[in-house]
Amino acid sequence: IRMTAIVMVHGAFCGGWAFERFRAPFEAAGFQVTAPDLRGHGADETAEAVIGVSMADYAADIARLCATLPEPPVLLGHSMGGLVAQLAARRTNLKALVLLAPSPPWGVGAASLEEAATAFGVQMLGPFSSGALQPERSLMRAYSLDRMPAAECEAVIARLRPESAQAVRETLNWWLDPFMTTSVGAGALGVPALVISGQGDVVHSPGTARAVADRLG
């Protein structure tokens, strides 16, 4: 019997390691889990490896990976990886799509003040127009990793990677992007989809998750 494959796509500044604990129960249940590093996010890659990388590049890479599997997989994406998964879903055959607190696609605005504040905070970092964006550790501690024990939080922060400034700009400032890079196109995706958000998530609020679900049909 061939087991269902699950491809897990990590969020900004992370790597496939973000799913180390999360993937374990799925593997124990017999699923085949793949959690790739997005382009330029490998532990052995240079900080410059993400320069000029677009959300379209991430999506194309993930779509290609899904297409190499024996059967259409379940594609799961978290945060910015959730947006990558939405874009990849238009480019490949999937069994299902699961989005965990996903970044919204082109045309869907943030639903909370905190979301706008964190987006603004990230934009104040470094060379925003191009280049590699260093992770803003204080923002992470305050908004993303605040429920974690301190030692665990710092261990995660030590593994964070630079992110493509272009990809972050395309995700956060979609209204300034004339190419509509993060548009998921018209109509429902035509694949069973589940969108999940934590009640206390201030980076991608339940309201935004609901808007993404509505947008995807």
Side-chain angles (χ1 to χ4, degrees):
I1 299 172
R2 200 181 274 154
M3 295 299 179
T4 297
I6 306 176
V7 176
M8 298 184 174
V9 186
H10 66 81
F13 304 106
C14 296
W17 55 263
F19 295 108
E20 281 171 354
R21 191 177 301 175
F22 185 83
R23 67 189 287 171
F26 295 96
E27 290 175 318
F31 292 96
Q32 295 175 330
V33 177
T34 302
D37 295 324
L38 288 175
R39 188 187 299 200
H41 289 68
D44 56 348
E45 296 187 76
T46 67
E48 290 74 38
V50 292
I51 291 176
V53 179
S54 165
M55 289 294 286
D57 296 319
Y58 291 150
D61 291 345
I62 294 300
R64 269 194 298 269
L65 171 64
C66 292
T68 66
L69 299 173
E71 291 179 357
V74 173
L75 181 58
L76 177 148
H78 170 242
S79 194
M80 191 181 87
L83 180 51
V84 172
Q86 292 169 63
L87 299 174
R90 286 288 194 202
R91 295 166 163 83
T92 191
N93 293 324
L94 299 176
K95 183 166 187 164
L97 178 68
V98 180
L99 307 174
L100 306 178
S103 296
W106 199 96
V108 176
S112 76
L113 205 55
E114 288 87 357
E115 284 175 280
T118 52
F120 181 76
V122 169
Q123 290 176 60
M124 293 301 99
L125 310 177
F128 192 64
S129 58
S130 64
L133 211 53
Q134 292 298 322
E136 184 20 83
R137 291 166 176 83
S138 60
L139 272 178
M140 294 271 190
R141 290 186 186 101
Y143 292 112
S144 303
L145 307 173
D146 51 307
R147 306 288 176 96
M148 277 184 143
E152 223 173 295
C153 171
E154 293 308 313
V156 168
I157 282 174
R159 298 174 82 174
L160 295 176
R161 301 275 313 158
E163 185 52 74
S164 162
Q166 179 173 335
V168 171
R169 187 175 70 252
E170 289 166 347
T171 300
L172 296 181
N173 286 3
W174 52 260
W175 60 89
L176 297 177
D177 178 12
F179 304 110
M180 297 173 65
T181 307
T182 63
S183 170
V184 292
L189 288 178
V191 62
L194 175 66
V195 185
I196 301 174
S197 180
Q199 181 181 336
D201 193 330
V202 297
V203 179
H204 295 109
S205 71
T208 297
R210 198 168 290 113
V212 170
D214 290 343
R215 177 66 190 79
L216 299 179

